[in-house]
Amino acid sequence: MKNKMFKHIPNILTILRFIFIPIIIYFIFTGNYILGFIFFTISGITDILDGYIARKYNLISNFGKLMDPLADKLTQISVLASLVFVNIIPVWILAIVILKELIMVIGASFLYGKDVVVYSKWYGKLATVLFYLAIVISLFTKQFEVTEFWVDFSMIIYCIAVISTVFSLIMYIKYLYKDGFIDKNDLNKETQKK
């Protein structure tokens, strides 16, 4: 019974991240930025834990492969949208992130049915970490109304995160052009014919 329950822990943690999204948004909208920060941090910890547990104990599932990145992206976009709504960050940051995700969804539709797997690269993870750090600083600066330095510092991190996001998108498009648009099975058949 314990083993059966244990194998679902990564997926339970992923589902928790979806549940946390409206809670984080609520606290940001009501001006309780410290609670928004706490739940955002818990969400980030569950993200790290579910990936670690799934890999360490070989509990990777199709549900996890689909829902884990979806939970990440939905959390990031929802929190950024909330920060735009309460005038903490400019709308162009959100627009670039949404545009990047839309292009990646379109790219994924081209890969559907092909023997191509896109793995998360370091530059994609870097962008996620930078956005997390910038959001945390934003919530703290808004809650405690600290010096202008921290507001400017958070914007610098947002800008670096956006640059990392654009770079990861360029690398993704390059990957699609190189491997994704070519059906490897068809390529092997053509090679065999020759």
Side-chain angles (χ1 to χ4, degrees):
M1 183 68 180
K2 281 185 179 179
N3 288 340
K4 283 186 178 180
M5 190 66 184
F6 183 75
K7 75 176 184 177
H8 295 297
I9 286 177
N11 292 340
I12 291 168
L13 291 172
T14 297
I15 292 167
L16 272 176
R17 294 215 305 286
F18 283 106
I19 295 169
F20 286 147
I21 292 170
I23 297 171
I24 298 165
I25 292 171
Y26 171 77
F27 286 127
I28 292 173
F29 275 31
T30 56
N32 199 331
Y33 302 109
I34 197 69
L35 281 177
F37 157 74
I38 288 168
F39 278 93
F40 184 62
T41 302
I42 294 169
S43 177
I45 292 168
T46 61
D47 182 23
I48 294 166
L49 276 177
D50 79 50
Y52 173 77
I53 293 168
R55 285 189 297 271
K56 183 171 176 66
Y57 298 100
N58 196 25
L59 299 174
I60 297 167
S61 64
N62 289 330
F63 176 88
K65 283 191 279 189
L66 179 65
M67 290 299 163
D68 181 64
L70 181 60
D72 293 343
K73 301 307 177 188
L74 200 55
T75 300
Q76 186 181 86
I77 289 171
S78 300
V79 173
L80 289 174
S82 301
L83 295 179
V84 168
F85 188 83
V86 296
N87 296 315
I88 293 178
I89 63 170
V91 70
W92 62 264
I93 293 174
L94 175 65
I96 290 172
V97 172
I98 290 175
L99 181 63
K100 178 246 185 182
E101 295 305 328
L102 283 173
I103 292 170
M104 291 194 73
V105 167
I106 292 166
S109 68
F110 281 107
L111 296 179
Y112 184 78
K114 292 190 175 186
D115 188 24
V116 179
V117 180
V118 180
Y119 294 102
S120 181
K121 305 292 184 185
W122 66 267
Y123 33 81
K125 291 177 181 177
L126 175 64
T128 301
V129 169
L130 288 170
F131 271 119
Y132 175 83
L133 181 60
I135 289 167
V136 164
I137 294 172
S138 291
L139 294 173
F140 264 99
T141 54
K142 194 68 174 176
Q143 180 71 52
F144 299 109
E145 297 181 359
V146 294
T147 61
E148 194 70 24
F149 166 80
W150 288 104
V151 177
D152 294 339
F153 182 61
S154 68
M155 278 308 301
I156 290 169
I157 298 175
Y158 277 117
C159 290
I160 298 170
V162 167
I163 291 167
S164 298
T165 295
V166 172
F167 178 73
S168 67
L169 176 61
I170 291 167
M171 296 305 290
Y172 179 76
I173 291 169
K174 182 182 173 185
Y175 173 83
L176 278 180
Y177 181 77
K178 184 180 175 185
D179 297 320
F181 291 138
I182 303 168
D183 192 317
K184 290 178 180 178
N185 293 327
D186 290 345
L187 194 63
N188 289 336
K189 287 174 187 175
E190 290 297 320
T191 307
Q192 286 170 4
K193 283 179 185 175
K194 290 176 183 177

